[in-house]
Amino acid sequence: MKIERLELALVKLPLVHFFETSFGRIYDKTFIIVRVDGGGAIGFGECVAEQDPYYSAETTETAWHVISEFIAPRIVGVDVIHPREVFAALKGIRGNNMAKAAVEMAAWDLYARQRGEPLARVLGGTRTKIASGVSIGIQDSLDDLAAKVEQELAAGYRRIKIKIKPGWDVDAVGMIRNRFGSIPLMVDANAAYSLADADHLAKLDRFDLMMIEQPLDYDDLSDHAALQKRLKTPICLDESIKTVRYGELAIAAGACRIINIKPGRIGGFTESIRLHDLCAARGVPVWHGGMLESGIGRAANIHLATLPNFSLPGDIAASRRYFNPDLIDPPIEVAPDGTVAVPDGPGLGVAIRHDRVERATVRRASFAPAVV
Ligand code: OSB
Ligand code: MG
């Protein structure tokens, strides 16, 4: 397989509803779409780096820089036998996993389309539908939160996750338990607490949550291990699991009992499969995270989530919660039973509306091998 050309588009889209986490509120999303051409086929990838370095150190601009200056020269025009070699071929570039993943996942899509097979199949997945959960941001009031929870339960989602931060935690969870009973419920703190808050976080134990996601620092493992000893609620790590190696260390340290896999965070599909397999071997369940992706990145997530150890509902919800219209048509829908069907066409298996991508594009770049 050879990538003959690589193109980048920086796109900006308004969100249907603002999204607020412990690190801030956003009203729109700016992200990079990667296109790779080879052997008469085209593959697409979406970079999950955000505009600001608040979830992770990477931003859309660092990803643009690293792909343009360092990844494209190592990948474009070079023979790689299989997309699983792409991450290893980028070993000389430290970190920058979101930039690497966007290109690696586009290469997987290209490979699958060249073979005429759905991405799920080439990744080794087996499911034809996946269980879907929602991530509900911090709202302006508990009444607004209650209205959101009601709406998402009515849509069929199989679990509710709410974002928490100091001042928006125990009362919000208590309100949901009071009004909605024993629904599958979890919280995500996006690193908003410290170990000094352990007694406060232990107040969540009585609500029988599925898990608490990333309560402590984005870079931490050892404080999470100490916290897990003091909590009944399982800890799930997101931000802290930057690589497969960190996943291994976190499990060994007892820093978490569950892991959130986002291919962007750990460098793409190949590394995600390695982490998935490692967790399966250690008896640690995983679920697929989300980064408010457009239909392009969302479809990629759906395919990966067909692997067997994705045994908990993921943050892979319907397009209409994020963008209207989405960059794909038809959009991703959730069925009344809270599942999302896996597209069965070649590659990502969704129809990209290139006119909409075009209209949302604020900058582009193109890379081809130098002509000799
Ligand atoms: O922590 O999982 C997170 C969105 C942006 C950055 C970080 C996170 C999230 C979400 C959204 O929770 C999940 C979704 O795509 O619905
Ligand atoms: Mg998270």
Side-chain angles (χ1 to χ4, degrees), residues 217-293:
D217 200 44
Y218 77 100
D219 235 359
D220 171 77
L221 295 179
S222 60
D223 280 359
H224 280 101
L227 180 65
Q228 182 66 89
K229 289 205 179 78
R230 296 171 63 174
L231 295 184
K232 272 195 302 183
T233 309
I235 292 176
C236 169
L237 288 177
D238 174 357
E239 284 90 329
S240 288
I241 310 300
K242 293 170 172 63
T243 61
V244 178
R245 176 72 177 145
Y246 276 93
E248 195 171 14
L249 293 171
I251 295 168
C256 62
R257 296 189 191 142
I258 301 171
I259 287 180
N260 164 333
I261 295 184
K262 294 175 178 172
R265 200 188 61 229
I266 57 165
F269 283 139
T270 310
E271 291 299 285
S272 295
I273 294 168
R274 286 215 301 131
L275 180 57
H276 164 278
D277 294 351
L278 172 90
C279 289
R282 301 279 199 279
V284 173
V286 303
W287 54 278
H288 203 302
M291 292 290 290
L292 314 176
E293 288 90 346

Side-chain angles (χ1 to χ4, degrees), residues 87-248:
F87 185 79
L90 301 175
K91 196 171 165 23
I93 304 166
R94 302 239 168 119
N96 293 285
N97 278 342
M98 292 177 175
K100 291 175 182 174
V103 174
E104 193 248 19
M105 292 162 81
W108 273 99
D109 181 35
L110 177 66
Y111 173 80
R113 288 191 209 220
Q114 286 176 349
R115 298 169 64 95
E117 290 186 58
L119 204 37
R121 195 185 306 158
V122 300
L123 294 173
T126 47
R127 300 190 175 105
T128 57
K129 56 187 184 176
I130 58 153
S132 179
V134 278
S135 174
I136 300 178
I138 294 163
Q139 305 294 316
D140 287 330
S141 68
L142 290 180
D143 283 342
D144 286 0
L145 177 62
K148 287 269 168 214
V149 172
E150 187 167 9
Q151 178 188 332
E152 306 300 9
L153 288 173
Y157 289 104
R158 294 214 177 166
R159 67 97 169 107
I160 301 286
K161 151 172 153 182
I162 64 161
K163 294 291 189 177
I164 59 166
K165 65 175 180 182
W168 183 271
D169 48 31
V170 178
D171 291 349
V173 173
M175 179 281 290
I176 295 174
R177 279 289 182 242
N178 273 336
R179 290 178 70 155
F180 301 97
S182 60
I183 58 166
L185 182 65
M186 61 173 285
V187 294
D188 184 359
N190 288 109
Y193 299 88
S194 71
L195 195 52
D197 299 311
D199 287 339
H200 179 69
L201 292 170
K203 292 180 193 157
L204 293 170
D205 271 343
R206 70 186 146 100
F207 296 112
D208 195 26
L209 299 173
M210 298 167 78
M211 68 195 91
I212 175 169
E213 185 179 346
Q214 195 70 38
L216 310 182
D217 200 44
Y218 77 100
D219 235 359
D220 171 77
L221 295 179
S222 60
D223 280 359
H224 280 101
L227 180 65
Q228 182 66 89
K229 289 205 179 78
R230 296 171 63 174
L231 295 184
K232 272 195 302 183
T233 309
I235 292 176
C236 169
L237 288 177
D238 174 357
E239 284 90 329
S240 288
I241 310 300
K242 293 170 172 63
T243 61
V244 178
R245 176 72 177 145
Y246 276 93
E248 195 171 14

